Amino acid sequence: ERFAFQTQTYCLLARYRQQVELAQPDLFSLSGTVSDYVFARDQLFARVTLRPDELHLYQRIHQLLDQRLPQPDLVVYVTAARDVLRARLRALVPSADRVIKQSVVGRLADEMDEHFFTYDQAPLLILDTSAVGVPLGAPEASAQLDAAVETVRRTRGGAHCVRLAAR
């Protein structure tokens, strides 16, 4: 908690640098980029971790940087029920190594839901993975991952919500 502002600001600037680099592709690179985050995500973490005075300063910095970045062509929000998220976090990361406390997961998920369920800056695909039982990257979820990828490929505009089924 003591270093929350410094940590959030460092992450914000690192994400900004990555986004600037992505916005200036190499002349010979393939077009298109897939990223596992949107720039706004850092701000959602900040809302959960920073004190009000720190959050105000952070938001001013975020707003200045955000204006300079291109918007994505498609945003995919992968989510699950809170109990599923907590169970996945416990299974993936030993308790001694967890950076995010279990109590914060629900608050962060609420912030992300609020942001993405009202998101209107680019086409949006919400993938509810609650029924899958394991993260999409796990080997036993290969059929659901294939279905998710196909859904992403078909999504062109608007807002869509898809619940992936267990197999």
mmCIF file of all heavy atoms in Angstrom, residues 88-138:
data_model
loop_
_atom_site.group_PDB
_atom_site.id
_atom_site.type_symbol
_atom_site.label_atom_id
_atom_site.label_comp_id
_atom_site.label_asym_id
_atom_site.label_seq_id
_atom_site.Cartn_x
_atom_site.Cartn_y
_atom_site.Cartn_z
ATOM 1 N N ARG A 88 -9.727 -19.750 -9.647
ATOM 2 C CA ARG A 88 -8.663 -19.805 -10.661
ATOM 3 C C ARG A 88 -7.395 -19.144 -10.153
ATOM 4 O O ARG A 88 -6.285 -19.639 -10.378
ATOM 5 C CB ARG A 88 -9.127 -19.142 -11.957
ATOM 6 C CG ARG A 88 -10.157 -19.970 -12.693
ATOM 7 C CD ARG A 88 -10.640 -19.266 -13.931
ATOM 8 N NE ARG A 88 -11.701 -20.043 -14.574
ATOM 9 C CZ ARG A 88 -12.465 -19.559 -15.526
ATOM 10 N NH1 ARG A 88 -12.314 -18.314 -15.967
ATOM 11 N NH2 ARG A 88 -13.415 -20.325 -16.054
ATOM 12 N N LEU A 89 -7.546 -18.026 -9.470
ATOM 13 C CA LEU A 89 -6.378 -17.346 -8.914
ATOM 14 C C LEU A 89 -5.685 -18.231 -7.877
ATOM 15 O O LEU A 89 -4.465 -18.367 -7.888
ATOM 16 C CB LEU A 89 -6.791 -16.005 -8.287
ATOM 17 C CG LEU A 89 -5.671 -15.160 -7.712
ATOM 18 C CD1 LEU A 89 -4.670 -14.786 -8.794
ATOM 19 C CD2 LEU A 89 -6.235 -13.912 -7.064
ATOM 20 N N ARG A 90 -6.461 -18.856 -7.006
ATOM 21 C CA ARG A 90 -5.879 -19.762 -5.997
ATOM 22 C C ARG A 90 -5.155 -20.931 -6.666
ATOM 23 O O ARG A 90 -4.091 -21.362 -6.214
ATOM 24 C CB ARG A 90 -6.962 -20.300 -5.067
ATOM 25 C CG ARG A 90 -7.316 -19.369 -3.937
ATOM 26 C CD ARG A 90 -8.157 -20.068 -2.878
ATOM 27 N NE ARG A 90 -9.387 -20.650 -3.389
ATOM 28 C CZ ARG A 90 -10.541 -20.005 -3.534
ATOM 29 N NH1 ARG A 90 -10.625 -18.726 -3.211
ATOM 30 N NH2 ARG A 90 -11.603 -20.614 -4.007
ATOM 31 N N ALA A 91 -5.715 -21.459 -7.734
ATOM 32 C CA ALA A 91 -5.122 -22.612 -8.407
ATOM 33 C C ALA A 91 -3.859 -22.249 -9.187
ATOM 34 O O ALA A 91 -2.938 -23.057 -9.287
ATOM 35 C CB ALA A 91 -6.143 -23.240 -9.352
ATOM 36 N N LEU A 92 -3.813 -21.054 -9.724
ATOM 37 C CA LEU A 92 -2.689 -20.658 -10.584
ATOM 38 C C LEU A 92 -1.498 -20.103 -9.821
ATOM 39 O O LEU A 92 -0.360 -20.261 -10.256
ATOM 40 C CB LEU A 92 -3.149 -19.613 -11.599
ATOM 41 C CG LEU A 92 -4.078 -20.110 -12.697
ATOM 42 C CD1 LEU A 92 -4.571 -18.931 -13.531
ATOM 43 C CD2 LEU A 92 -3.362 -21.110 -13.590
ATOM 44 N N VAL A 93 -1.753 -19.428 -8.702
ATOM 45 C CA VAL A 93 -0.684 -18.712 -8.013
ATOM 46 C C VAL A 93 -0.650 -19.122 -6.542
ATOM 47 O O VAL A 93 -1.641 -18.935 -5.834
ATOM 48 C CB VAL A 93 -0.894 -17.184 -8.120
ATOM 49 C CG1 VAL A 93 0.255 -16.439 -7.470
ATOM 50 C CG2 VAL A 93 -1.053 -16.762 -9.569
ATOM 51 N N PRO A 94 0.474 -19.659 -6.081
ATOM 52 C CA PRO A 94 0.576 -19.999 -4.661
ATOM 53 C C PRO A 94 0.320 -18.763 -3.789
ATOM 54 O O PRO A 94 0.661 -17.647 -4.168
ATOM 55 C CB PRO A 94 2.023 -20.475 -4.504
ATOM 56 C CG PRO A 94 2.492 -20.795 -5.876
ATOM 57 C CD PRO A 94 1.692 -19.953 -6.819
ATOM 58 N N SER A 95 -0.281 -18.970 -2.627
ATOM 59 C CA SER A 95 -0.679 -17.836 -1.783
ATOM 60 C C SER A 95 0.492 -16.926 -1.438
ATOM 61 O O SER A 95 0.328 -15.710 -1.365
ATOM 62 C CB SER A 95 -1.364 -18.327 -0.509
ATOM 63 O OG SER A 95 -0.474 -19.127 0.241
ATOM 64 N N ALA A 96 1.681 -17.469 -1.243
ATOM 65 C CA ALA A 96 2.842 -16.644 -0.893
ATOM 66 C C ALA A 96 3.267 -15.733 -2.040
ATOM 67 O O ALA A 96 3.902 -14.703 -1.807
ATOM 68 C CB ALA A 96 4.011 -17.531 -0.481
ATOM 69 N N ASP A 97 2.929 -16.085 -3.278
ATOM 70 C CA ASP A 97 3.348 -15.310 -4.440
ATOM 71 C C ASP A 97 2.271 -14.368 -4.970
ATOM 72 O O ASP A 97 2.509 -13.640 -5.921
ATOM 73 C CB ASP A 97 3.772 -16.246 -5.577
ATOM 74 C CG ASP A 97 4.998 -17.060 -5.223
ATOM 75 O OD1 ASP A 97 5.762 -16.616 -4.348
ATOM 76 O OD2 ASP A 97 5.186 -18.132 -5.819
ATOM 77 N N ARG A 98 1.086 -14.412 -4.396
ATOM 78 C CA ARG A 98 -0.008 -13.585 -4.907
ATOM 79 C C ARG A 98 0.241 -12.115 -4.620
ATOM 80 O O ARG A 98 0.463 -11.723 -3.489
ATOM 81 C CB ARG A 98 -1.338 -13.991 -4.271
ATOM 82 C CG ARG A 98 -1.995 -15.084 -5.021
ATOM 83 C CD ARG A 98 -3.392 -15.349 -4.505
ATOM 84 N NE ARG A 98 -3.534 -16.794 -4.505
ATOM 85 C CZ ARG A 98 -3.899 -17.510 -3.475
ATOM 86 N NH1 ARG A 98 -4.257 -16.946 -2.370
ATOM 87 N NH2 ARG A 98 -3.946 -18.811 -3.567
ATOM 88 N N VAL A 99 0.180 -11.312 -5.667
ATOM 89 C CA VAL A 99 0.305 -9.867 -5.523
ATOM 90 C C VAL A 99 -1.069 -9.282 -5.195
ATOM 91 O O VAL A 99 -1.188 -8.377 -4.380
ATOM 92 C CB VAL A 99 0.880 -9.233 -6.815
ATOM 93 C CG1 VAL A 99 0.899 -7.733 -6.714
ATOM 94 C CG2 VAL A 99 2.261 -9.783 -7.098
ATOM 95 N N ILE A 100 -2.094 -9.803 -5.832
ATOM 96 C CA ILE A 100 -3.449 -9.311 -5.619
ATOM 97 C C ILE A 100 -4.094 -10.138 -4.515
ATOM 98 O O ILE A 100 -4.161 -11.361 -4.609
ATOM 99 C CB ILE A 100 -4.292 -9.415 -6.905
ATOM 100 C CG1 ILE A 100 -3.672 -8.576 -8.009
ATOM 101 C CG2 ILE A 100 -5.723 -8.975 -6.648
ATOM 102 C CD1 ILE A 100 -4.378 -8.717 -9.338
ATOM 103 N N LYS A 101 -4.556 -9.474 -3.475
ATOM 104 C CA LYS A 101 -5.238 -10.177 -2.397
ATOM 105 C C LYS A 101 -6.589 -10.670 -2.884
ATOM 106 O O LYS A 101 -7.235 -10.037 -3.714
ATOM 107 C CB LYS A 101 -5.442 -9.232 -1.215
ATOM 108 C CG LYS A 101 -4.145 -8.752 -0.586
ATOM 109 C CD LYS A 101 -4.434 -7.752 0.516
ATOM 110 C CE LYS A 101 -3.156 -7.179 1.064
ATOM 111 N NZ LYS A 101 -3.396 -6.111 2.025
ATOM 112 N N GLN A 102 -7.021 -11.798 -2.340
ATOM 113 C CA GLN A 102 -8.321 -12.355 -2.726
ATOM 114 C C GLN A 102 -9.442 -11.341 -2.513
ATOM 115 O O GLN A 102 -10.382 -11.278 -3.298
ATOM 116 C CB GLN A 102 -8.601 -13.639 -1.932
ATOM 117 C CG GLN A 102 -7.777 -14.823 -2.366
ATOM 118 C CD GLN A 102 -8.215 -15.387 -3.708
ATOM 119 O OE1 GLN A 102 -9.337 -15.191 -4.144
ATOM 120 N NE2 GLN A 102 -7.322 -16.082 -4.364
ATOM 121 N N SER A 103 -9.346 -10.535 -1.461
ATOM 122 C CA SER A 103 -10.402 -9.560 -1.179
ATOM 123 C C SER A 103 -10.491 -8.475 -2.253
ATOM 124 O O SER A 103 -11.533 -7.859 -2.423
ATOM 125 C CB SER A 103 -10.176 -8.919 0.191
ATOM 126 O OG SER A 103 -8.935 -8.231 0.211
ATOM 127 N N VAL A 104 -9.409 -8.257 -2.950
ATOM 128 C CA VAL A 104 -9.376 -7.217 -3.982
ATOM 129 C C VAL A 104 -9.971 -7.723 -5.297
ATOM 130 O O VAL A 104 -10.469 -6.940 -6.102
ATOM 131 C CB VAL A 104 -7.925 -6.721 -4.187
ATOM 132 C CG1 VAL A 104 -7.825 -5.751 -5.344
ATOM 133 C CG2 VAL A 104 -7.392 -6.093 -2.919
ATOM 134 N N VAL A 105 -9.962 -9.034 -5.504
ATOM 135 C CA VAL A 105 -10.422 -9.606 -6.769
ATOM 136 C C VAL A 105 -11.860 -9.192 -7.069
ATOM 137 O O VAL A 105 -12.176 -8.771 -8.178
ATOM 138 C CB VAL A 105 -10.283 -11.146 -6.778
ATOM 139 C CG1 VAL A 105 -10.943 -11.749 -7.998
ATOM 140 C CG2 VAL A 105 -8.819 -11.527 -6.723
ATOM 141 N N GLY A 106 -12.746 -9.297 -6.087
ATOM 142 C CA GLY A 106 -14.147 -8.911 -6.292
ATOM 143 C C GLY A 106 -14.297 -7.440 -6.627
ATOM 144 O O GLY A 106 -15.050 -7.072 -7.529
ATOM 145 N N ARG A 107 -13.581 -6.586 -5.905
ATOM 146 C CA ARG A 107 -13.653 -5.137 -6.180
ATOM 147 C C ARG A 107 -13.130 -4.812 -7.570
ATOM 148 O O ARG A 107 -13.714 -4.007 -8.298
ATOM 149 C CB ARG A 107 -12.868 -4.365 -5.126
ATOM 150 C CG ARG A 107 -13.546 -4.383 -3.766
ATOM 151 C CD ARG A 107 -12.784 -3.684 -2.667
ATOM 152 N NE ARG A 107 -12.184 -2.429 -3.058
ATOM 153 C CZ ARG A 107 -10.990 -2.023 -2.618
ATOM 154 N NH1 ARG A 107 -10.284 -2.761 -1.794
ATOM 155 N NH2 ARG A 107 -10.500 -0.858 -3.013
ATOM 156 N N LEU A 108 -12.037 -5.455 -7.954
ATOM 157 C CA LEU A 108 -11.468 -5.234 -9.286
ATOM 158 C C LEU A 108 -12.415 -5.746 -10.366
ATOM 159 O O LEU A 108 -12.643 -5.070 -11.377
ATOM 160 C CB LEU A 108 -10.104 -5.903 -9.395
ATOM 161 C CG LEU A 108 -9.368 -5.728 -10.707
ATOM 162 C CD1 LEU A 108 -9.174 -4.253 -11.039
ATOM 163 C CD2 LEU A 108 -8.030 -6.439 -10.651
ATOM 164 N N ALA A 109 -12.992 -6.908 -10.154
ATOM 165 C CA ALA A 109 -13.952 -7.455 -11.123
ATOM 166 C C ALA A 109 -15.162 -6.538 -11.255
ATOM 167 O O ALA A 109 -15.674 -6.330 -12.365
ATOM 168 C CB ALA A 109 -14.373 -8.862 -10.710
ATOM 169 N N ASP A 110 -15.629 -5.965 -10.149
ATOM 170 C CA ASP A 110 -16.744 -5.015 -10.201
ATOM 171 C C ASP A 110 -16.378 -3.794 -11.034
ATOM 172 O O ASP A 110 -17.176 -3.329 -11.856
ATOM 173 C CB ASP A 110 -17.160 -4.573 -8.791
ATOM 174 C CG ASP A 110 -17.839 -5.670 -8.002
ATOM 175 O OD1 ASP A 110 -18.278 -6.672 -8.608
ATOM 176 O OD2 ASP A 110 -17.920 -5.522 -6.760
ATOM 177 N N GLU A 111 -15.182 -3.258 -10.830
ATOM 178 C CA GLU A 111 -14.711 -2.100 -11.609
ATOM 179 C C GLU A 111 -14.650 -2.449 -13.099
ATOM 180 O O GLU A 111 -15.056 -1.663 -13.953
ATOM 181 C CB GLU A 111 -13.331 -1.637 -11.134
ATOM 182 C CG GLU A 111 -13.325 -0.902 -9.826
ATOM 183 C CD GLU A 111 -13.925 0.491 -9.898
ATOM 184 O OE1 GLU A 111 -13.984 1.088 -11.001
ATOM 185 O OE2 GLU A 111 -14.336 0.996 -8.841
ATOM 186 N N MET A 112 -14.133 -3.633 -13.394
ATOM 187 C CA MET A 112 -14.011 -4.035 -14.793
ATOM 188 C C MET A 112 -15.382 -4.243 -15.425
ATOM 189 O O MET A 112 -15.614 -3.819 -16.557
ATOM 190 C CB MET A 112 -13.137 -5.286 -14.906
ATOM 191 C CG MET A 112 -11.697 -4.994 -14.496
ATOM 192 S SD MET A 112 -10.592 -6.382 -14.678
ATOM 193 C CE MET A 112 -10.135 -6.184 -16.390
ATOM 194 N N ASP A 113 -16.303 -4.877 -14.691
ATOM 195 C CA ASP A 113 -17.666 -5.039 -15.211
ATOM 196 C C ASP A 113 -18.296 -3.688 -15.501
ATOM 197 O O ASP A 113 -18.881 -3.477 -16.568
ATOM 198 C CB ASP A 113 -18.545 -5.802 -14.216
ATOM 199 C CG ASP A 113 -18.302 -7.293 -14.230
ATOM 200 O OD1 ASP A 113 -17.532 -7.785 -15.091
ATOM 201 O OD2 ASP A 113 -18.894 -7.977 -13.361
ATOM 202 N N GLU A 114 -18.185 -2.781 -14.545
ATOM 203 C CA GLU A 114 -18.789 -1.454 -14.730
ATOM 204 C C GLU A 114 -18.209 -0.770 -15.964
ATOM 205 O O GLU A 114 -18.933 -0.169 -16.752
ATOM 206 C CB GLU A 114 -18.553 -0.592 -13.494
ATOM 207 C CG GLU A 114 -19.206 0.767 -13.577
ATOM 208 C CD GLU A 114 -18.999 1.593 -12.319
ATOM 209 O OE1 GLU A 114 -18.887 1.019 -11.228
ATOM 210 O OE2 GLU A 114 -18.946 2.825 -12.447
ATOM 211 N N HIS A 115 -16.904 -0.878 -16.138
ATOM 212 C CA HIS A 115 -16.249 -0.236 -17.289
ATOM 213 C C HIS A 115 -16.680 -0.879 -18.608
ATOM 214 O O HIS A 115 -17.103 -0.191 -19.533
ATOM 215 C CB HIS A 115 -14.725 -0.313 -17.146
ATOM 216 C CG HIS A 115 -13.989 0.271 -18.298
ATOM 217 N ND1 HIS A 115 -13.836 1.623 -18.466
ATOM 218 C CD2 HIS A 115 -13.394 -0.311 -19.364
ATOM 219 C CE1 HIS A 115 -13.168 1.855 -19.584
ATOM 220 N NE2 HIS A 115 -12.881 0.693 -20.141
ATOM 221 N N PHE A 116 -16.581 -2.207 -18.678
ATOM 222 C CA PHE A 116 -16.813 -2.866 -19.958
ATOM 223 C C PHE A 116 -18.285 -3.039 -20.297
ATOM 224 O O PHE A 116 -18.647 -3.079 -21.462
ATOM 225 C CB PHE A 116 -16.065 -4.194 -20.029
ATOM 226 C CG PHE A 116 -14.583 -3.991 -20.178
ATOM 227 C CD1 PHE A 116 -13.726 -4.279 -19.135
ATOM 228 C CD2 PHE A 116 -14.051 -3.470 -21.346
ATOM 229 C CE1 PHE A 116 -12.359 -4.068 -19.263
ATOM 230 C CE2 PHE A 116 -12.690 -3.249 -21.480
ATOM 231 C CZ PHE A 116 -11.842 -3.559 -20.432
ATOM 232 N N PHE A 117 -19.144 -3.145 -19.311
ATOM 233 C CA PHE A 117 -20.572 -3.280 -19.607
ATOM 234 C C PHE A 117 -21.168 -1.964 -20.100
ATOM 235 O O PHE A 117 -22.287 -1.939 -20.594
ATOM 236 C CB PHE A 117 -21.346 -3.811 -18.405
ATOM 237 C CG PHE A 117 -21.033 -5.253 -18.076
ATOM 238 C CD1 PHE A 117 -21.426 -5.784 -16.865
ATOM 239 C CD2 PHE A 117 -20.351 -6.083 -18.948
ATOM 240 C CE1 PHE A 117 -21.148 -7.109 -16.540
ATOM 241 C CE2 PHE A 117 -20.061 -7.395 -18.648
ATOM 242 C CZ PHE A 117 -20.462 -7.909 -17.434
ATOM 243 N N THR A 118 -20.430 -0.870 -19.981
ATOM 244 C CA THR A 118 -20.872 0.424 -20.516
ATOM 245 C C THR A 118 -19.904 0.947 -21.586
ATOM 246 O O THR A 118 -20.024 2.078 -22.014
ATOM 247 C CB THR A 118 -20.992 1.471 -19.389
ATOM 248 O OG1 THR A 118 -19.708 1.637 -18.767
ATOM 249 C CG2 THR A 118 -22.012 1.044 -18.357
ATOM 250 N N TYR A 119 -18.980 0.126 -22.017
ATOM 251 C CA TYR A 119 -17.944 0.521 -22.970
ATOM 252 C C TYR A 119 -18.561 0.773 -24.346
ATOM 253 O O TYR A 119 -19.326 -0.058 -24.847
ATOM 254 C CB TYR A 119 -16.898 -0.590 -23.069
ATOM 255 C CG TYR A 119 -15.697 -0.253 -23.894
ATOM 256 C CD1 TYR A 119 -14.646 0.473 -23.369
ATOM 257 C CD2 TYR A 119 -15.602 -0.676 -25.213
ATOM 258 C CE1 TYR A 119 -13.522 0.772 -24.119
ATOM 259 C CE2 TYR A 119 -14.481 -0.383 -25.982
ATOM 260 C CZ TYR A 119 -13.454 0.337 -25.426
ATOM 261 O OH TYR A 119 -12.341 0.635 -26.188
ATOM 262 N N ASP A 120 -18.219 1.906 -24.954
ATOM 263 C CA ASP A 120 -18.777 2.234 -26.268
ATOM 264 C C ASP A 120 -17.759 2.888 -27.203
ATOM 265 O O ASP A 120 -18.117 3.528 -28.173
ATOM 266 C CB ASP A 120 -20.010 3.134 -26.117
ATOM 267 C CG ASP A 120 -19.692 4.479 -25.494
ATOM 268 O OD1 ASP A 120 -18.520 4.731 -25.125
ATOM 269 O OD2 ASP A 120 -20.622 5.297 -25.376
ATOM 270 N N GLN A 121 -16.471 2.710 -26.930
ATOM 271 C CA GLN A 121 -15.437 3.367 -27.721
ATOM 272 C C GLN A 121 -14.917 2.516 -28.876
ATOM 273 O O GLN A 121 -14.179 3.004 -29.722
ATOM 274 C CB GLN A 121 -14.288 3.786 -26.804
ATOM 275 C CG GLN A 121 -14.741 4.791 -25.769
ATOM 276 C CD GLN A 121 -13.727 4.988 -24.665
ATOM 277 O OE1 GLN A 121 -12.634 4.421 -24.701
ATOM 278 N NE2 GLN A 121 -14.065 5.789 -23.697
ATOM 279 N N ALA A 122 -15.298 1.244 -28.893
ATOM 280 C CA ALA A 122 -14.887 0.330 -29.965
ATOM 281 C C ALA A 122 -15.814 -0.878 -29.907
ATOM 282 O O ALA A 122 -16.510 -1.069 -28.912
ATOM 283 C CB ALA A 122 -13.429 -0.109 -29.757
ATOM 284 N N PRO A 123 -15.849 -1.675 -30.971
ATOM 285 C CA PRO A 123 -16.625 -2.918 -30.890
ATOM 286 C C PRO A 123 -16.178 -3.733 -29.668
ATOM 287 O O PRO A 123 -14.996 -3.760 -29.324
ATOM 288 C CB PRO A 123 -16.285 -3.634 -32.193
ATOM 289 C CG PRO A 123 -15.919 -2.531 -33.129
ATOM 290 C CD PRO A 123 -15.222 -1.501 -32.277
ATOM 291 N N LEU A 124 -17.155 -4.379 -29.022
ATOM 292 C CA LEU A 124 -16.886 -5.087 -27.765
ATOM 293 C C LEU A 124 -17.451 -6.499 -27.814
ATOM 294 O O LEU A 124 -18.595 -6.702 -28.226
ATOM 295 C CB LEU A 124 -17.528 -4.322 -26.599
ATOM 296 C CG LEU A 124 -17.487 -4.988 -25.228
ATOM 297 C CD1 LEU A 124 -16.054 -5.070 -24.701
ATOM 298 C CD2 LEU A 124 -18.374 -4.228 -24.252
ATOM 299 N N LEU A 125 -16.646 -7.444 -27.381
ATOM 300 C CA LEU A 125 -17.086 -8.827 -27.233
ATOM 301 C C LEU A 125 -16.818 -9.225 -25.789
ATOM 302 O O LEU A 125 -15.676 -9.171 -25.326
ATOM 303 C CB LEU A 125 -16.315 -9.742 -28.184
ATOM 304 C CG LEU A 125 -16.528 -11.246 -28.007
ATOM 305 C CD1 LEU A 125 -17.997 -11.629 -28.223
ATOM 306 C CD2 LEU A 125 -15.611 -12.015 -28.946
ATOM 307 N N ILE A 126 -17.872 -9.604 -25.068
ATOM 308 C CA ILE A 126 -17.734 -10.067 -23.691
ATOM 309 C C ILE A 126 -17.830 -11.589 -23.716
ATOM 310 O O ILE A 126 -18.821 -12.143 -24.192
ATOM 311 C CB ILE A 126 -18.826 -9.472 -22.786
ATOM 312 C CG1 ILE A 126 -18.721 -7.941 -22.772
ATOM 313 C CG2 ILE A 126 -18.735 -10.049 -21.375
ATOM 314 C CD1 ILE A 126 -19.887 -7.247 -22.099
ATOM 315 N N LEU A 127 -16.793 -12.253 -23.222
ATOM 316 C CA LEU A 127 -16.775 -13.716 -23.151
ATOM 317 C C LEU A 127 -16.890 -14.126 -21.689
ATOM 318 O O LEU A 127 -15.984 -13.889 -20.897
ATOM 319 C CB LEU A 127 -15.476 -14.278 -23.734
ATOM 320 C CG LEU A 127 -15.264 -14.146 -25.228
ATOM 321 C CD1 LEU A 127 -13.896 -14.704 -25.624
ATOM 322 C CD2 LEU A 127 -16.364 -14.850 -25.997
ATOM 323 N N ASP A 128 -18.000 -14.747 -21.343
ATOM 324 C CA ASP A 128 -18.202 -15.260 -19.993
ATOM 325 C C ASP A 128 -17.694 -16.695 -19.965
ATOM 326 O O ASP A 128 -18.238 -17.576 -20.631
ATOM 327 C CB ASP A 128 -19.682 -15.204 -19.617
ATOM 328 C CG ASP A 128 -19.950 -15.668 -18.199
ATOM 329 O OD1 ASP A 128 -19.069 -16.335 -17.600
ATOM 330 O OD2 ASP A 128 -21.038 -15.378 -17.690
ATOM 331 N N THR A 129 -16.635 -16.930 -19.196
ATOM 332 C CA THR A 129 -16.000 -18.244 -19.154
ATOM 333 C C THR A 129 -16.328 -19.008 -17.875
ATOM 334 O O THR A 129 -15.653 -19.993 -17.560
ATOM 335 C CB THR A 129 -14.472 -18.092 -19.282
ATOM 336 O OG1 THR A 129 -13.985 -17.376 -18.135
ATOM 337 C CG2 THR A 129 -14.088 -17.368 -20.557
ATOM 338 N N SER A 130 -17.355 -18.591 -17.152
ATOM 339 C CA SER A 130 -17.698 -19.239 -15.879
ATOM 340 C C SER A 130 -17.913 -20.740 -16.019
ATOM 341 O O SER A 130 -17.479 -21.517 -15.171
ATOM 342 C CB SER A 130 -18.960 -18.608 -15.286
ATOM 343 O OG SER A 130 -18.757 -17.247 -15.007
ATOM 344 N N ALA A 131 -18.575 -21.166 -17.069
ATOM 345 C CA ALA A 131 -18.907 -22.584 -17.240
ATOM 346 C C ALA A 131 -17.728 -23.420 -17.721
ATOM 347 O O ALA A 131 -17.778 -24.646 -17.648
ATOM 348 C CB ALA A 131 -20.075 -22.734 -18.217
ATOM 349 N N VAL A 132 -16.688 -22.773 -18.202
ATOM 350 C CA VAL A 132 -15.549 -23.516 -18.744
ATOM 351 C C VAL A 132 -14.842 -24.295 -17.636
ATOM 352 O O VAL A 132 -14.373 -25.405 -17.861
ATOM 353 C CB VAL A 132 -14.574 -22.571 -19.483
ATOM 354 C CG1 VAL A 132 -13.315 -23.301 -19.916
ATOM 355 C CG2 VAL A 132 -15.269 -21.933 -20.669
ATOM 356 N N GLY A 133 -14.779 -23.744 -16.445
ATOM 357 C CA GLY A 133 -14.206 -24.460 -15.314
ATOM 358 C C GLY A 133 -12.717 -24.265 -15.130
ATOM 359 O O GLY A 133 -12.206 -24.400 -14.034
ATOM 360 N N VAL A 134 -11.996 -23.949 -16.193
ATOM 361 C CA VAL A 134 -10.553 -23.696 -16.119
ATOM 362 C C VAL A 134 -10.254 -22.488 -16.999
ATOM 363 O O VAL A 134 -11.031 -22.151 -17.883
ATOM 364 C CB VAL A 134 -9.721 -24.910 -16.594
ATOM 365 C CG1 VAL A 134 -9.901 -26.092 -15.669
ATOM 366 C CG2 VAL A 134 -10.056 -25.287 -18.014
ATOM 367 N N PRO A 135 -9.121 -21.813 -16.790
ATOM 368 C CA PRO A 135 -8.778 -20.684 -17.674
ATOM 369 C C PRO A 135 -8.674 -21.130 -19.129
ATOM 370 O O PRO A 135 -8.293 -22.271 -19.411
ATOM 371 C CB PRO A 135 -7.421 -20.224 -17.138
ATOM 372 C CG PRO A 135 -7.375 -20.716 -15.726
ATOM 373 C CD PRO A 135 -8.148 -21.996 -15.716
ATOM 374 N N LEU A 136 -8.997 -20.243 -20.046
ATOM 375 C CA LEU A 136 -8.967 -20.593 -21.469
ATOM 376 C C LEU A 136 -7.595 -21.053 -21.947
ATOM 377 O O LEU A 136 -7.496 -21.790 -22.907
ATOM 378 C CB LEU A 136 -9.426 -19.402 -22.315
ATOM 379 C CG LEU A 136 -10.915 -19.124 -22.332
ATOM 380 C CD1 LEU A 136 -11.212 -17.913 -23.203
ATOM 381 C CD2 LEU A 136 -11.697 -20.323 -22.817
ATOM 382 N N GLY A 137 -6.542 -20.628 -21.292
ATOM 383 C CA GLY A 137 -5.198 -21.027 -21.695
ATOM 384 C C GLY A 137 -4.797 -22.422 -21.249
ATOM 385 O O GLY A 137 -3.784 -22.951 -21.684
ATOM 386 N N ALA A 138 -5.597 -23.037 -20.373
ATOM 387 C CA ALA A 138 -5.266 -24.375 -19.875
ATOM 388 C C ALA A 138 -5.472 -25.408 -20.987
ATOM 389 O O ALA A 138 -6.393 -25.299 -21.785
ATOM 390 C CB ALA A 138 -6.141 -24.709 -18.668
#
